[in-house]
Amino acid sequence: YIDPSLRAAVAAAEAAAMAGGPVDEAPLRSLLKPTGVAGVWRLQLFTPRFCAELREELDHAAASGVPIRRPNGMNRFGAILEAVPGGLGMEGAMRHLAHRYGRPLSQMAFPSSVGLRDADEHYGFVVRYRPGEDESLAEHADASVATINVNLADGFRGGRLTFKGTRFVDADPRNAPAAAVDFEDFAPGEALLHLGGHYHAAEPIQQGERTNMVLWLMGEHGVVRVAPYERGERGRTTPLRRWGGAEASGRWEALLRGEDGGVAGGRERDEL
């Protein structure tokens, strides 16, 4: 369910960290592509198969008649993926995605903003935009230190994301010049990675349906660090510390044995 190139690069970094380093992050950095917007990265995160199966799961949940809680205070249509009342109960999958991929990637991409314990918790949800429902989203910053926003489908028009500046980093972030990223150009499973404090808005959807999975990363108890780290300040990560975190998830021996599988083949549904 994770893109094979990303999966292999992460496994190599974890193995090097397990051996005590050094950890070569060049293969991982090569997977982060520029978007044309400073501080916003693009990467292939999921396989098309995962996107299709997640969309099927969302359709099944909607048809079940069980009330589904809205994903957040701004989006009315979509679903919470976490194990909360009205959510879809994918807590284990979100935790694995956050700890094995989201946390170290965000620490690598934004070392002065995402420190050792700044992305230990997560909040995963899906949002849907289509004419007659939620068509756009006002400018805002996320309740996260870093955000992963994954395109789940294609065949729509409109709905670009426009970015301005980053709070507590830029002097006047909301009045910074806007720059756009167009999800029309994204294949299913392609994602954006950006700081949660990076102000952005969704332009109106014009045709079809844009469905995205969003993962917010934050510190313990939902704390969001906003002040950048100074060089040498305690809490900044190193490659060795970034990619040594799989041990804490209880999966390290399985990784070394090559048993780190997806939900296919009878494995638990909350694994990615």
Side-chain angles (χ1 to χ4, degrees), residues 54 57-58 61 67-73 75-91 94 122-127 212-214 216:
L54 180 56
E57 187 70 20
L58 293 166
I68 298 176
R69 187 173 165 186
R70 63 187 291 175
N72 56 61
N75 292 93
R76 297 175 298 159
F77 297 92
I80 298 173
L81 300 178
E82 308 283 355
V84 299
L88 300 190
M90 299 180 182
E91 174 79 20
M94 295 299 102
H122 52 84
Y123 178 65
F125 57 95
V126 171
V127 295
N212 290 60
M213 195 204 91
V214 180
W216 285 349

Side-chain angles (χ1 to χ4, degrees), residues 172-209:
D172 192 7
R174 304 197 80 160
N175 290 314
V181 177
D182 196 345
F183 274 121
E184 283 188 50
D185 298 332
F186 281 47
E190 277 196 275
L192 291 178
L193 172 63
H194 62 85
L195 290 175
H198 202 152
Y199 283 104
H200 57 285
E203 294 183 352
I205 189 82
Q206 298 171 10
Q207 180 181 312
E209 179 181 301

Side-chain angles (χ1 to χ4, degrees), residues 45-208:
L45 179 59
F46 294 133
T47 63
R49 175 189 168 190
F50 172 79
C51 297
E53 292 190 11
L54 180 56
R55 295 197 308 270
E56 290 177 7
E57 187 70 20
L58 293 166
D59 291 342
H60 174 75
S64 69
V66 177
I68 298 176
R69 187 173 165 186
R70 63 187 291 175
N72 56 61
M74 298 183 72
N75 292 93
R76 297 175 298 159
F77 297 92
I80 298 173
L81 300 178
E82 308 283 355
V84 299
L88 300 190
M90 299 180 182
E91 174 79 20
M94 295 299 102
R95 181 171 57 252
H96 181 62
L97 177 64
H99 288 178
R100 190 174 182 199
Y101 296 95
R103 178 173 60 193
L105 283 171
S106 63
Q107 290 169 340
M108 181 186 76
F110 309 111
S112 64
S113 296
V114 186
L116 186 63
R117 311 242 61 98
D118 295 331
D120 285 355
E121 294 191 359
H122 52 84
Y123 178 65
F125 57 95
V126 171
V127 295
R128 185 181 76 210
Y129 298 91
R130 67 185 181 194
E133 295 184 350
D134 284 340
E135 299 181 2
S136 62
L137 197 65
E139 183 181 287
H140 64 284
D142 295 334
S144 67
V145 67
T147 294
I148 297 173
N149 188 336
V150 192
N151 181 52
L152 295 181
D154 51 21
F156 58 87
R157 292 184 57 199
R160 298 190 311 170
L161 290 190
T162 56
F163 288 87
K164 291 189 176 178
T166 302
R167 60 183 178 182
F168 303 105
V169 173
D170 296 315
D172 192 7
R174 304 197 80 160
N175 290 314
V181 177
D182 196 345
F183 274 121
E184 283 188 50
D185 298 332
F186 281 47
E190 277 196 275
L192 291 178
L193 172 63
H194 62 85
L195 290 175
H198 202 152
Y199 283 104
H200 57 285
E203 294 183 352
I205 189 82
Q206 298 171 10
Q207 180 181 312

Side-chain angles (χ1 to χ4, degrees), residues 20-41:
V23 178
D24 180 11
E25 292 184 313
L28 287 155
R29 294 185 184 278
S30 73
L31 299 176
L32 297 181
K33 309 297 184 183
T35 61
V37 179
V40 181
W41 297 98

